[in-house]
Amino acid sequence: MPTEADLMFRPALELAALVRAGEVSARELAEASLAAIAEHDPELNAFCHVDADGALATADAIGPGDKRPFAGVPIAVKDNQPVAGLPLTFGSSFMPDFVPDADAFVVRRLRDAGFVIVGKTTLPEFGILPVSEATRFGPTRNPWDPERTPGGSSGGAAAAVAGGMVPIAHGNDGGGSTRIPAACCGLVGLKPQRGRISRGPAEGASHLVQDGVLTRTVADTAAALDVLAGYEPGDAYWAPPPAEPFATGANREPGRLRIGFTTSPPIEVPIDPTCAAAVHDAAVLLAELGHEVEEAEPGWDQPGLLALFSASFGPAVSTAILLAQALAGREATAADVEPLTWHVYEQSRALSAPEFLAAQAQLNALLRAQAPLYERYDVVLTPALAERPVRHGEIDPRGPNPAATFARSGAFTPFTATQNVTGNPAISVPLYHGEDGLPTGVHLIGQPAREDVLLALATQLEIAVPWAGRRPERVGAS
């Protein structure tokens, strides 16, 4: 029987089984989560809102024998998705005090699966950067080293899980925003296939962003995908349903896969030796596990890639600002948001509709050239990050040169955004730790709609190099 201090470090599925068997109550889990938040969040700053009363009321309605897969398990929701009754800020000081009266579809599915929402987690302003240092919240800190970033934009979510405040957290990924924090904080982070999880009702046709979770185990990630995936009325498109539940596929032997590995990024930036070494070590391990492994030439280093991605990504930021303007009843000014946000917004407003569509078409054309890569290989292996988790202030949204800040963020995380454009599933797994004591993730990219293959391979790696028991010293190392 785990102690209260250990509960939030247990896998979510294990906690649900304890609740189902009557060995732990849902209220005890909620109280353990809230106690951990009270203890650790003053340092880590992962939560922007805690709903103790709501969490305890929800938990009290859950009893032994509840067959829902995650009944009684505490979870946090990233503060860019509506949760009925809780503030929605997008990490921006310009966002007025807005409390939605309805859940996003993904939040409704979390509730239906039995999760207990304990609060909402921090993110960079409007989710732009791969670091979580919003002016509204202040820096969110990495539990492995508080002087470093937990990543972004789901940085609060990752810090909450790695810091032992919840066993699982909601995140989303528009350019790596689930996989980057997973790599920074030693967690599992899956970006599902485009259209796998509904973005409705507000963003039913989102091109780049997919929701998901941050976890310690592949099994939790797979089971969460099963409850989150699927068509919702009004969706503009959706991924083909899997042949079997993802949780079942994750436990299958992956068979002998064709795996290509590369440390060559899509944009010309240096790669930290620790990040490169992790890929080479993982390639050796995969070959020892019986896979056909060779170095790949991905061909994704195309001129103008970063500029084209910015032209596609920027309008999504602008849409959130327009929502804030509507709620505030006035137009935003440069003084209302961070300099980087204003730069992205102004760039987007300067694009005509034909120019935006042309940029999207060019970007898609460049990355469609990757199609032969996924005919040759079942999985492509890359670094998750190009650098170690950066120190606070190295990527500053308030810096004097916003264009340079955006380029700097791309140098930190060059491997993740291409899959948001192509739609392919991809997962970051915390296979190693560097000599600096920080997690070192590797990044696995799958063929279209083949999350099952990625999850099965990730499970095989987790068995070979168990990582779920690793904990930062400051929150109870084991």
Side-chain angles (χ1 to χ4, degrees), residues 179 380-384 415-416 419 426-429 441-445:
R179 292 163 288 158
V380 174
L381 165 69
T382 78
F415 291 98
T416 53
Q419 294 80 57
I427 190 170
S428 176
V429 293
V442 298
H443 185 226
L444 304 169
I445 308 166

Side-chain angles (χ1 to χ4, degrees), residues 85-423:
L86 300 186
L88 176 66
T89 75
F90 293 97
S92 177
S93 300
F94 179 58
M95 193 74 177
D97 295 332
F98 173 60
V99 179
D101 58 7
D103 291 331
F105 288 173
V106 68
V107 175
R108 190 204 69 218
R109 288 194 174 217
L110 291 173
R111 292 194 199 273
D112 289 347
F115 282 111
V116 174
I117 297 172
V118 297
K120 301 195 76 178
T121 55
T122 59
L123 70 160
E125 187 170 62
F126 294 111
I128 297 175
L129 285 177
V131 296
S132 297
E133 301 178 25
T135 301
R136 178 162 185 161
F137 301 138
T140 297
R141 301 186 179 280
N142 191 323
W144 292 93
D145 181 350
E147 297 305 312
R148 294 178 184 266
T149 185
S153 61
S154 306
V161 177
M165 293 180 275
V166 286
I168 183 171
H170 160 265
N172 40 44
D173 190 316
S177 290
T178 299
R179 292 163 288 158
I180 294 162
C184 287
C185 292
L187 303 172
V188 178
L190 171 71
K191 183 201 80 71
Q193 171 68 29
R194 177 185 296 135
R196 178 68 67 200
I197 298 170
S198 176
R199 288 289 293 168
E203 296 181 77
S206 179
H207 179 69
L208 296 176
V209 181
Q210 272 292 278
D211 286 282
V213 291
L214 289 122
T215 71
R216 289 191 182 82
T217 69
V218 178
D220 280 356
T221 293
L225 185 59
D226 279 323
V227 302
L228 296 178
Y231 170 79
E232 290 279 359
D235 283 345
Y237 47 76
W238 56 94
E244 61 183 354
F246 290 110
T248 302
N251 284 318
R252 292 194 183 281
E253 284 293 320
R256 182 175 171 84
L257 299 176
R258 301 164 300 160
I259 299 175
F261 72 92
T262 182
T263 58
S264 298
I267 57 177
E268 190 174 345
V269 296
I271 308 300
D272 185 277
T274 299
C275 301
V279 169
H280 290 283
D281 291 345
V284 171
L285 174 59
L286 289 164
E288 291 172 349
L289 291 170
H291 301 291
E292 179 185 336
V293 182
E294 66 179 30
E295 190 162 6
E297 296 181 5
W300 51 31
D301 50 341
Q302 301 292 331
L305 191 59
L306 184 61
L308 288 171
F309 180 79
S310 301
S312 186
F313 177 76
V317 175
S318 298
T319 300
I321 294 174
L322 291 173
L323 170 63
Q325 289 183 165
L327 293 170
R330 66 179 181 87
E331 289 193 9
T333 69
D336 291 316
V337 295
E338 296 168 350
L340 176 63
T341 301
W342 189 251
H343 170 73
V344 173
Y345 181 53
E346 289 281 85
Q347 276 198 323
S348 299
R349 291 205 301 177
L351 281 177
S352 68
E355 287 171 332
F356 166 65
L357 293 173
Q360 276 202 320
Q362 286 180 274
L363 184 62
N364 288 332
L366 281 177
L367 293 176
R368 263 193 212 106
Q370 288 184 37
L373 184 68
Y374 299 103
E375 292 178 345
R376 183 179 181 96
Y377 301 113
D378 300 300
V379 173
V380 174
L381 165 69
T382 78
L385 305 170
E387 305 175 42
R388 312 305 287 142
V390 297
R391 296 183 181 278
H392 298 298
E394 285 191 38
I395 301 174
D396 184 2
R398 295 161 294 277
N401 187 337
T405 299
F406 196 80
R408 177 68 183 85
S409 72
F412 175 40
T413 61
F415 291 98
T416 53
T418 56
Q419 294 80 57
N420 296 86
V421 179
T422 64

Side-chain angles (χ1 to χ4, degrees), residues 75-83 107 110 117 119-121 169-170:
I75 194 169
V77 176
K78 183 178 176 181
D79 195 25
N80 64 355
Q81 281 285 24
V83 176
V107 175
L110 291 173
I117 297 172
K120 301 195 76 178
T121 55
H170 160 265

Side-chain angles (χ1 to χ4, degrees), residues 9-36:
F9 286 102
R10 297 295 209 181
L13 288 172
E14 181 180 315
L15 294 178
L18 292 174
V19 171
R20 196 173 301 118
E23 297 181 36
V24 171
S25 70
R27 185 180 182 91
E28 287 173 319
L29 292 186
E31 288 176 338
S33 176
L34 294 168

